[in-house]
């Protein structure tokens, strides 16, 4: 992928601001975005909320059939806003929901977007909570750690790991029934092949 000419020029001049955005697309809900700045920031029609996203984490590669993962960290749970996505994430169907992390190139003084440096799509794999120290009133807040992994077999490389029938059909053939019994194979005996007699 080549960068836009304005981005190339800004990189060459050394006058560039990196703007990091994260977008969550949970089923049945409007997209919600966050960024690391101090005030709401609108990009591409979506207003990204400030002050919650602490750390975008590092990519962690694994060997064998394990997939590469990334952790993102959010702060300040609970909040006064009951509709804030990070505040209510545990009550939503978040597993495998798409998450897009984008790194934009901007003008340092104005944050005007010049173009995209990089953009990656992930799926939510796991959500963990860590409790912080109590304040003077005895209340504490939680830090939310969201583990992300690349979506689908093609993005996960050559691990050939499939998690569900729908994923097998998406990556291969819509009529493929290879993983039809994958979710019950450990608990329900399934007879394979032809019966004799």
């Amino acid at each position: 992928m080549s960068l836009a000419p304005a981005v190339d020029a800004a990189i060459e001049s050394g006058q560039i601001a990196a703007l990091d955005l994260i977008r969550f697309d949970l089923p049945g809900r409007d997209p919600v975005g966050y960024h690391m700045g101090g005030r709401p920031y609108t990009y591409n029609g979506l207003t990204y909320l400030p002050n919650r996203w602490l750390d975008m984490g590092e990519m962690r590669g694994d060997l064998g059939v394990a997939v590469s993962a990334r952790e993102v960290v959010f702060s300040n749970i609970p909040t006064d806003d009951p509709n804030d996505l990070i505040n209510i994430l545990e009550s939503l169907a978040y597993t495998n929901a798409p998450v897009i992390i984008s790194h934009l190139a901007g003008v340092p003084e104005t944050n005007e977007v010049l173009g995209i440096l990089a953009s990656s799509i992930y799926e939510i794999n796991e959500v963990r909570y860590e409790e912080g120290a109590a304040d003077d009133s005895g209340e504490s807040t939680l830090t939310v750690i969201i583990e992300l992994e690349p979506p689908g077999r093609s993005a996960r490389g050559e691990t050939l790991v499939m998690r569900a029938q729908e994923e097998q059909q998406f990556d291969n053939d819509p009529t493929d029934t290879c993983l039809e019994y994958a979710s019950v194979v450990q608990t329900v005996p399934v007879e394979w092949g032809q019966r004799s007699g």
Side-chain angles (χ1 to χ4, degrees), residues 56-144:
M56 75 179 66
E58 304 221 350
M59 279 294 286
R60 186 180 69 247
D62 292 303
L63 300 174
V65 297
V67 299
S68 297
R70 168 179 238 162
E71 289 182 346
V72 290
V73 180
F74 287 81
S75 66
N76 198 23
I77 306 298
T79 67
D80 294 333
D81 181 2
N83 294 316
D84 181 78
L85 179 72
I86 300 302
N87 196 48
I88 61 172
L89 187 59
E90 191 61 31
S91 65
L92 303 174
Y94 62 77
T95 304
N96 298 334
V99 176
I100 301 171
I101 297 179
S102 299
H103 310 284
L104 309 179
V107 177
E109 296 80 22
T110 65
N111 283 345
E112 173 194 351
V113 174
L114 298 171
I116 298 174
L117 290 169
S119 187
S120 304
I121 187 166
Y122 299 94
E123 292 177 350
I124 297 176
N125 179 45
E126 180 184 21
V127 176
R128 297 188 316 273
Y129 296 88
E130 291 183 0
E131 188 170 2
D135 61 17
D136 293 339
S137 63
E139 295 181 358
S140 59
T141 58
L142 297 175
T143 298
V144 181

Side-chain angles (χ1 to χ4, degrees), residues 25-71:
D25 289 293
L26 269 70
R29 299 184 61 87
D30 291 334
V32 177
Y34 296 92
H35 76 114
M36 295 181 183
R39 60 184 180 273
Y41 181 78
T42 301
Y43 174 70
N44 214 16
L46 180 63
T47 299
Y48 289 80
L49 304 174
N51 295 332
R52 304 290 302 293
W53 186 19
L54 295 182
D55 186 9
M56 75 179 66
E58 304 221 350
M59 279 294 286
R60 186 180 69 247
D62 292 303
L63 300 174
V65 297
V67 299
S68 297
R70 168 179 238 162
E71 289 182 346

